[in-house]
Short mmCIF file of all heavy atoms in Angstrom, two decimals:
data_model
loop_
_atom_site.label_atom_id
_atom_site.label_comp_id
_atom_site.label_asym_id
_atom_site.label_seq_id
_atom_site.Cartn_x
_atom_site.Cartn_y
_atom_site.Cartn_z
N MET A 310 13.38 39.18 98.14
CA MET A 310 14.63 38.21 97.81
C MET A 310 15.87 38.68 98.59
O MET A 310 16.55 37.97 99.19
CB MET A 310 14.89 38.30 96.34
CG MET A 310 15.92 37.48 95.86
SD MET A 310 16.58 37.84 94.21
CE MET A 310 17.58 39.46 94.53
N ILE A 311 16.05 40.06 98.62
CA ILE A 311 17.19 40.60 99.25
C ILE A 311 17.07 40.27 100.85
O ILE A 311 18.12 39.83 101.48
CB ILE A 311 17.28 42.21 99.10
CG1 ILE A 311 17.61 42.44 97.69
CG2 ILE A 311 18.37 42.72 100.03
CD1 ILE A 311 17.56 43.94 97.30
N ALA A 312 15.99 40.18 101.34
CA ALA A 312 15.73 39.87 102.78
C ALA A 312 16.11 38.41 102.98
O ALA A 312 16.85 38.07 104.00
CB ALA A 312 14.24 40.02 103.21
N GLY A 313 15.73 37.60 102.07
CA GLY A 313 16.26 36.11 102.10
C GLY A 313 17.71 35.97 101.97
O GLY A 313 18.34 35.23 102.64
N LEU A 314 18.25 36.82 101.13
CA LEU A 314 19.83 36.88 100.88
C LEU A 314 20.49 37.19 102.14
O LEU A 314 21.51 36.51 102.62
CB LEU A 314 20.13 37.85 99.79
CG LEU A 314 20.15 37.30 98.40
CD1 LEU A 314 20.39 38.52 97.40
CD2 LEU A 314 21.22 36.32 98.08
N VAL A 315 19.93 38.24 102.84
CA VAL A 315 20.51 38.74 104.14
C VAL A 315 20.47 37.64 105.08
O VAL A 315 21.42 37.28 106.01
CB VAL A 315 19.94 39.98 104.60
CG1 VAL A 315 20.34 40.44 105.94
CG2 VAL A 315 20.24 41.08 103.57
N ALA A 316 19.26 36.96 105.29
CA ALA A 316 19.07 35.93 106.13
C ALA A 316 20.04 34.76 105.99
O ALA A 316 20.77 34.32 106.93
CB ALA A 316 17.68 35.25 106.10
N ALA A 317 20.21 34.36 104.64
CA ALA A 317 21.15 33.31 104.44
C ALA A 317 22.58 33.66 104.66
O ALA A 317 23.39 32.93 105.15
CB ALA A 317 21.05 32.79 102.97
N GLY A 318 22.82 34.99 104.36
CA GLY A 318 24.21 35.40 104.51
C GLY A 318 24.60 35.50 106.11
O GLY A 318 25.75 35.08 106.45
N LEU A 319 23.62 35.82 106.86
CA LEU A 319 23.86 35.83 108.33
C LEU A 319 23.98 34.52 108.91
O LEU A 319 24.78 34.26 109.73
CB LEU A 319 22.65 36.58 108.96
CG LEU A 319 22.55 38.14 108.86
CD1 LEU A 319 21.24 38.57 109.61
CD2 LEU A 319 23.78 38.83 109.54
N SER A 320 23.24 33.53 108.37
CA SER A 320 23.44 32.11 108.80
C SER A 320 24.93 31.63 108.34
O SER A 320 25.44 30.93 109.32
CB SER A 320 22.43 31.29 108.12
OG SER A 320 21.17 31.53 108.61
N MET A 321 25.28 31.99 107.19
CA MET A 321 26.67 31.48 106.92
C MET A 321 27.70 32.10 107.84
O MET A 321 28.68 31.56 108.31
CB MET A 321 27.04 31.83 105.53
CG MET A 321 26.21 30.98 104.31
SD MET A 321 26.89 31.30 102.73
CE MET A 321 28.33 30.41 102.82
N ARG A 322 27.53 33.47 108.05
CA ARG A 322 28.43 34.29 108.87
C ARG A 322 28.61 33.62 110.26
O ARG A 322 29.62 33.52 110.88
CB ARG A 322 28.23 35.63 108.98
CG ARG A 322 29.08 36.59 109.77
CD ARG A 322 28.61 38.00 109.72
NE ARG A 322 29.45 38.76 110.45
CZ ARG A 322 29.36 40.11 110.68
NH1 ARG A 322 28.26 40.64 110.16
NH2 ARG A 322 30.09 40.80 111.52
N ARG A 323 27.29 33.31 110.86
CA ARG A 323 27.26 32.68 112.18
C ARG A 323 27.49 31.21 112.22
O ARG A 323 27.31 30.62 113.29
CB ARG A 323 25.93 33.19 112.81
CG ARG A 323 25.87 34.68 112.94
CD ARG A 323 24.34 35.07 113.33
NE ARG A 323 24.29 36.40 113.23
CZ ARG A 323 23.08 37.15 113.62
NH1 ARG A 323 22.10 36.44 113.88
NH2 ARG A 323 23.05 38.51 113.49
N ARG A 324 27.71 30.60 111.02
CA ARG A 324 27.97 29.19 111.07
C ARG A 324 26.79 28.26 111.55
O ARG A 324 26.89 27.34 112.11
CB ARG A 324 29.21 28.84 111.70
CG ARG A 324 30.45 29.49 111.27
CD ARG A 324 31.71 28.99 111.92
NE ARG A 324 32.89 29.61 111.24
CZ ARG A 324 34.05 29.30 111.70
NH1 ARG A 324 34.41 28.39 112.62
NH2 ARG A 324 35.16 29.96 111.12
N LEU A 325 25.55 28.90 111.14
CA LEU A 325 24.29 28.13 111.43
C LEU A 325 23.97 27.30 110.28
O LEU A 325 24.15 27.60 109.16
CB LEU A 325 23.18 29.16 111.67
CG LEU A 325 23.51 30.17 112.87
CD1 LEU A 325 22.24 31.21 112.83
CD2 LEU A 325 23.58 29.46 114.13
N ARG A 326 23.47 26.03 110.63
CA ARG A 326 23.07 25.00 109.57
C ARG A 326 21.73 25.42 108.97
O ARG A 326 20.63 24.87 109.35
CB ARG A 326 23.00 23.66 110.19
CG ARG A 326 23.36 22.57 109.26
CD ARG A 326 23.70 21.25 109.94
NE ARG A 326 24.19 20.30 109.11
CZ ARG A 326 23.44 19.21 108.83
NH1 ARG A 326 22.25 18.99 109.50
NH2 ARG A 326 23.69 18.20 108.02
N ASP A 327 21.81 26.45 108.05
CA ASP A 327 20.48 26.84 107.52
C ASP A 327 20.34 26.45 106.12
O ASP A 327 21.13 26.72 105.18
CB ASP A 327 20.49 28.39 107.53
CG ASP A 327 19.11 29.11 107.08
OD1 ASP A 327 18.23 28.23 106.71
OD2 ASP A 327 19.05 30.16 107.25
N PRO A 328 19.25 25.73 105.71
CA PRO A 328 19.15 25.19 104.33
C PRO A 328 18.95 26.29 103.18
O PRO A 328 19.32 26.18 102.09
CB PRO A 328 17.98 24.21 104.34
CG PRO A 328 17.26 24.71 105.59
CD PRO A 328 18.19 25.13 106.51
N LEU A 329 18.57 27.54 103.71
CA LEU A 329 18.39 28.56 102.80
C LEU A 329 19.67 29.04 102.24
O LEU A 329 19.83 29.69 101.09
CB LEU A 329 17.88 29.92 103.64
CG LEU A 329 17.31 30.96 102.76
CD1 LEU A 329 16.24 30.64 101.73
CD2 LEU A 329 16.69 32.12 103.71
N VAL A 330 20.88 28.64 102.79
CA VAL A 330 22.11 28.97 102.22
C VAL A 330 22.27 28.34 100.81
O VAL A 330 22.90 28.87 99.89
CB VAL A 330 23.25 28.44 103.09
CG1 VAL A 330 24.73 28.52 102.38
CG2 VAL A 330 23.30 29.37 104.36
N LEU A 331 21.52 27.16 100.56
CA LEU A 331 21.65 26.49 99.20
C LEU A 331 21.04 27.39 98.14
O LEU A 331 21.66 27.59 96.98
CB LEU A 331 20.76 25.23 99.21
CG LEU A 331 20.51 24.54 97.87
CD1 LEU A 331 21.98 24.19 97.22
CD2 LEU A 331 19.78 23.26 98.10
N ALA A 332 19.96 28.12 98.49
CA ALA A 332 19.33 29.03 97.63
C ALA A 332 20.22 30.22 97.28
O ALA A 332 20.45 30.73 96.17
CB ALA A 332 18.05 29.61 97.98
N LEU A 333 20.95 30.74 98.23
CA LEU A 333 21.95 31.70 98.12
C LEU A 333 23.13 31.35 97.17
O LEU A 333 23.36 32.25 96.19
CB LEU A 333 22.54 32.18 99.44
CG LEU A 333 23.54 33.32 99.48
CD1 LEU A 333 23.40 34.09 100.73
CD2 LEU A 333 24.86 32.76 99.47
N LEU A 334 23.64 30.17 97.29
CA LEU A 334 24.58 29.73 96.37
C LEU A 334 24.12 29.52 94.96
O LEU A 334 24.86 29.80 94.06
CB LEU A 334 25.33 28.43 96.97
CG LEU A 334 26.15 28.64 98.37
CD1 LEU A 334 26.52 27.23 98.75
CD2 LEU A 334 27.28 29.64 98.18
N LEU A 335 22.95 28.96 94.85
CA LEU A 335 22.38 28.72 93.55
C LEU A 335 22.13 29.99 92.80
O LEU A 335 22.16 29.99 91.54
CB LEU A 335 21.09 27.96 93.64
CG LEU A 335 21.18 26.44 94.10
CD1 LEU A 335 19.78 25.88 94.32
CD2 LEU A 335 21.90 25.72 93.16
N LEU A 336 21.95 31.03 93.46
CA LEU A 336 21.83 32.42 92.87
C LEU A 336 23.02 33.18 92.68
O LEU A 336 23.29 33.61 91.51
CB LEU A 336 20.86 33.21 93.73
CG LEU A 336 20.64 34.79 93.24
CD1 LEU A 336 19.84 34.83 91.97
CD2 LEU A 336 20.11 35.59 94.26
N LEU A 337 24.01 33.19 93.63
CA LEU A 337 25.14 34.11 93.45
C LEU A 337 26.25 33.43 92.81
O LEU A 337 26.86 34.19 91.90
CB LEU A 337 25.56 34.49 94.90
CG LEU A 337 24.69 35.35 95.71
CD1 LEU A 337 25.37 35.86 97.00
CD2 LEU A 337 24.28 36.55 94.93
N MET A 338 26.46 32.23 92.83
CA MET A 338 27.64 31.61 92.15
C MET A 338 27.49 31.72 90.67
O MET A 338 28.42 32.18 89.96
CB MET A 338 27.83 30.10 92.75
CG MET A 338 28.46 30.01 94.06
SD MET A 338 29.04 28.47 94.41
CE MET A 338 30.27 28.29 93.13
N PRO A 339 26.45 31.16 90.06
CA PRO A 339 26.39 31.45 88.63
C PRO A 339 26.38 32.92 88.10
O PRO A 339 26.94 33.21 87.23
CB PRO A 339 24.91 30.72 88.17
CG PRO A 339 24.71 29.80 89.27
CD PRO A 339 25.19 30.53 90.56
N ALA A 340 25.70 33.74 88.83
CA ALA A 340 25.79 35.18 88.48
C ALA A 340 27.12 35.68 88.52
O ALA A 340 27.55 36.48 87.63
CB ALA A 340 24.77 35.94 89.45
N MET A 341 27.95 35.30 89.52
CA MET A 341 29.40 35.85 89.66
C MET A 341 30.16 35.34 88.49
O MET A 341 30.87 36.11 87.85
CB MET A 341 29.89 35.28 91.02
CG MET A 341 29.38 36.12 92.24
SD MET A 341 29.91 35.49 93.72
CE MET A 341 31.73 35.78 93.63
N VAL A 342 30.01 33.97 88.15
CA VAL A 342 30.68 33.50 87.07
C VAL A 342 30.43 34.09 85.74
O VAL A 342 31.36 34.43 84.87
CB VAL A 342 30.71 31.97 86.96
CG1 VAL A 342 31.32 31.27 85.73
CG2 VAL A 342 31.21 31.27 88.25
N MET A 343 29.06 34.28 85.44
CA MET A 343 28.63 34.80 84.21
C MET A 343 29.11 36.32 84.14
O MET A 343 29.13 36.84 82.98
CB MET A 343 27.19 34.69 84.14
CG MET A 343 26.73 33.27 83.76
SD MET A 343 25.01 33.17 83.39
CE MET A 343 24.22 33.44 85.08
N SER A 344 29.32 37.01 85.14
CA SER A 344 29.74 38.41 85.09
C SER A 344 31.04 38.59 84.55
O SER A 344 31.38 39.70 84.19
CB SER A 344 29.59 39.01 86.60
OG SER A 344 30.69 38.40 87.36
N PHE A 345 31.89 37.53 84.39
CA PHE A 345 33.23 37.58 83.95
C PHE A 345 33.34 37.28 82.42
O PHE A 345 34.48 37.41 81.93
CB PHE A 345 34.18 36.69 84.64
CG PHE A 345 34.46 37.10 86.04
CD1 PHE A 345 33.82 36.62 87.17
CD2 PHE A 345 35.36 38.10 86.33
CE1 PHE A 345 34.17 36.95 88.48
CE2 PHE A 345 35.57 38.59 87.62
CZ PHE A 345 34.96 38.00 88.68
N VAL A 346 32.19 36.96 81.75
CA VAL A 346 32.30 36.72 80.33
C VAL A 346 31.76 37.80 79.64
O VAL A 346 30.92 38.66 80.07
CB VAL A 346 31.43 35.26 79.90
CG1 VAL A 346 32.00 34.11 80.74
CG2 VAL A 346 29.95 35.55 80.37
N PRO A 347 32.19 37.99 78.39
CA PRO A 347 31.76 39.23 77.65
C PRO A 347 30.31 39.20 77.20
O PRO A 347 29.80 40.35 77.14
CB PRO A 347 32.70 39.24 76.27
CG PRO A 347 33.11 37.86 76.22
CD PRO A 347 33.11 37.18 77.55
N GLU A 348 29.65 38.12 77.06
CA GLU A 348 28.21 38.27 76.73
C GLU A 348 27.48 37.90 78.10
O GLU A 348 27.58 37.00 78.79
CB GLU A 348 27.92 37.03 75.78
CG GLU A 348 28.07 37.45 74.35
CD GLU A 348 27.42 36.43 73.40
OE1 GLU A 348 27.59 35.25 73.43
OE2 GLU A 348 26.64 36.89 72.54
N ARG A 349 26.59 39.08 78.30
CA ARG A 349 25.86 38.89 79.57
C ARG A 349 24.32 39.42 79.17
O ARG A 349 24.02 40.58 79.30
CB ARG A 349 26.34 39.99 80.57
CG ARG A 349 27.84 39.82 80.82
CD ARG A 349 28.30 40.79 81.89
NE ARG A 349 29.68 40.92 81.89
CZ ARG A 349 30.63 41.66 81.38
NH1 ARG A 349 30.00 42.56 80.62
NH2 ARG A 349 31.90 41.66 81.56
N LYS A 350 23.63 38.38 78.63
CA LYS A 350 22.30 38.81 78.07
C LYS A 350 21.27 38.58 79.19
O LYS A 350 21.44 37.74 80.14
CB LYS A 350 21.89 37.69 77.12
CG LYS A 350 22.87 37.73 75.91
CD LYS A 350 23.07 39.04 75.10
CE LYS A 350 23.93 38.89 73.97
NZ LYS A 350 24.25 40.24 73.40
N GLU A 351 20.21 39.35 79.16
CA GLU A 351 19.15 39.30 80.17
C GLU A 351 18.56 37.89 80.33
O GLU A 351 18.25 37.38 81.42
CB GLU A 351 18.05 40.28 79.86
CG GLU A 351 16.91 40.43 80.82
CD GLU A 351 15.89 41.37 80.45
OE1 GLU A 351 15.08 40.97 79.37
OE2 GLU A 351 15.72 42.41 81.01
N ARG A 352 18.34 37.09 79.19
CA ARG A 352 17.68 35.95 79.11
C ARG A 352 18.64 34.79 79.92
O ARG A 352 18.09 33.82 80.28
CB ARG A 352 17.56 35.38 77.69
CG ARG A 352 18.72 35.25 76.85
CD ARG A 352 18.41 34.82 75.50
NE ARG A 352 19.57 34.42 74.64
CZ ARG A 352 20.46 35.36 74.12
NH1 ARG A 352 20.10 36.63 74.16
NH2 ARG A 352 21.50 35.02 73.40
N TYR A 353 19.91 35.15 80.12
CA TYR A 353 20.77 34.20 80.79
C TYR A 353 20.29 34.11 82.31
O TYR A 353 20.76 33.16 83.02
CB TYR A 353 22.13 34.65 80.75
CG TYR A 353 22.88 34.54 79.46
CD1 TYR A 353 24.07 35.03 79.16
CD2 TYR A 353 22.21 33.94 78.31
CE1 TYR A 353 24.64 34.98 77.82
CE2 TYR A 353 22.72 33.81 77.04
CZ TYR A 353 24.02 34.44 76.82
OH TYR A 353 24.48 34.35 75.57
N LEU A 354 19.49 35.11 82.71
CA LEU A 354 19.06 35.09 84.22
C LEU A 354 17.92 34.15 84.33
O LEU A 354 17.57 33.92 85.57
CB LEU A 354 18.71 36.56 84.50
CG LEU A 354 19.76 37.58 84.52
CD1 LEU A 354 19.17 39.02 84.71
CD2 LEU A 354 20.87 37.40 85.44
N LEU A 355 17.25 33.65 83.41
CA LEU A 355 16.20 32.82 83.60
C LEU A 355 16.28 31.64 84.55
O LEU A 355 15.55 31.34 85.34
CB LEU A 355 15.58 32.28 82.24
CG LEU A 355 14.80 33.37 81.30
CD1 LEU A 355 14.41 32.81 79.97
CD2 LEU A 355 13.53 33.66 82.13
N PRO A 356 17.36 30.76 84.33
CA PRO A 356 17.64 29.78 85.21
C PRO A 356 17.92 30.26 86.77
O PRO A 356 17.93 29.31 87.71
CB PRO A 356 18.87 29.08 84.69
CG PRO A 356 18.91 29.36 83.24
CD PRO A 356 18.38 30.87 83.32
N LEU A 357 18.09 31.47 86.95
CA LEU A 357 18.29 31.96 88.31
C LEU A 357 16.96 32.30 89.09
O LEU A 357 16.91 32.55 90.17
CB LEU A 357 19.12 33.30 88.30
CG LEU A 357 20.65 33.03 87.71
CD1 LEU A 357 21.41 34.38 87.91
CD2 LEU A 357 21.35 31.89 88.42
N ILE A 358 15.96 32.36 88.20
CA ILE A 358 14.54 32.56 88.79
C ILE A 358 14.18 31.72 90.03
O ILE A 358 13.81 32.08 91.17
CB ILE A 358 13.50 32.58 87.72
CG1 ILE A 358 13.52 33.77 86.83
CG2 ILE A 358 12.15 32.40 88.40
CD1 ILE A 358 12.47 33.80 85.84
N PRO A 359 14.41 30.33 89.83
CA PRO A 359 14.01 29.38 91.03
C PRO A 359 14.77 29.83 92.35
O PRO A 359 14.17 29.86 93.41
CB PRO A 359 14.52 28.17 90.59
CG PRO A 359 14.32 28.13 89.08
CD PRO A 359 14.70 29.44 88.74
N ALA A 360 16.05 30.07 92.20
CA ALA A 360 16.86 30.40 93.46
C ALA A 360 16.38 31.76 94.03
O ALA A 360 16.12 31.87 95.27
CB ALA A 360 18.31 30.51 93.13
N ALA A 361 16.19 32.82 93.22
CA ALA A 361 15.72 34.07 93.56
C ALA A 361 14.34 33.91 94.27
O ALA A 361 14.02 34.54 95.30
CB ALA A 361 15.69 35.02 92.46
#
Side-chain angles (χ1 to χ4, degrees):
M310 180 197 78
I311 294 173
L314 273 172
V315 172
L319 287 174
S320 292
M321 289 191 72
R322 181 179 178 183
R323 298 171 185 179
R324 300 186 178 183
L325 301 175
R326 205 164 184 252
D327 187 353
L329 193 59
V330 172
L331 174 58
L333 180 146
L334 294 176
L335 289 173
L336 177 69
L337 293 187
M338 286 196 61
M341 290 174 60
V342 174
M343 286 189 287
S344 66
F345 289 100
V346 299
E348 274 197 307
R349 310 178 189 98
K350 306 299 185 186
E351 182 185 72
R352 65 182 186 275
Y353 295 171
L354 298 173
L355 283 170
L357 303 184
I358 285 180

